[in-house]
Amino acid sequence: MSGDLLMSDPLAEADPLRSDMATASKQTPADTLTKPVPARPVAAPSAVNGSGSVRVEIFDQVYNLRGSDSEYILKLAEYVDGKMRAVSEQTATVDSVRLAVLAALNIADEYHLLKRRLQAPSPEVKQRASKLSNALDEVLQENRLTG
């Protein structure tokens, strides 16, 4: 993955044997009940600290994530938040775990559709590749005859 994303966990930082595990520390801000929460994860100036930890918000839950590219982590968190909100608008459930699973299924579906599209080139690409291959074969054949 491009950002080498690891979700930080205070236990993982204290125990070096657990540092390679993908874990998350979830926080529920005390002021969430009184202030509206932004619809997408936004890093405040203090949200990115020197250790590479980024504070993001996904579906009104705050997570501290750690990785090598904080901007990439923020984009991922924003994408997941958007998917969860889209699923939430189309379903009657308020269970955030169910919403997360449905959002994950939507993301997996997108991934597999794109993967399938990349693995099966279009007919135009196949035709052009064939023409280029034939042209290359002709050039190589001429070089053998003259060379």
Side-chain angles (χ1 to χ4, degrees), residues 39-51:
R40 60 187 183 95
V42 179
S46 62
V48 179
N49 66 31
S51 69

Side-chain angles (χ1 to χ4, degrees), residues 96-115:
S96 61
V97 173
R98 286 181 89 80
L99 289 173
V101 169
L102 292 172
L105 286 170
N106 278 287
I107 293 168
D109 180 47
E110 287 177 2
Y111 168 76
H112 284 282
L113 289 173
L114 288 171
K115 186 177 172 183

Side-chain angles (χ1 to χ4, degrees), residues 2 11 13 15 21 33 37 50-51 70 74 76 89 108 111 137:
S2 174
L11 293 175
E13 292 170 13
D15 183 358
M21 296 176 66
L33 299 175
V37 181
S51 69
S70 60
L74 289 171
L76 291 177
E89 289 174 5
Y111 168 76
D137 287 342

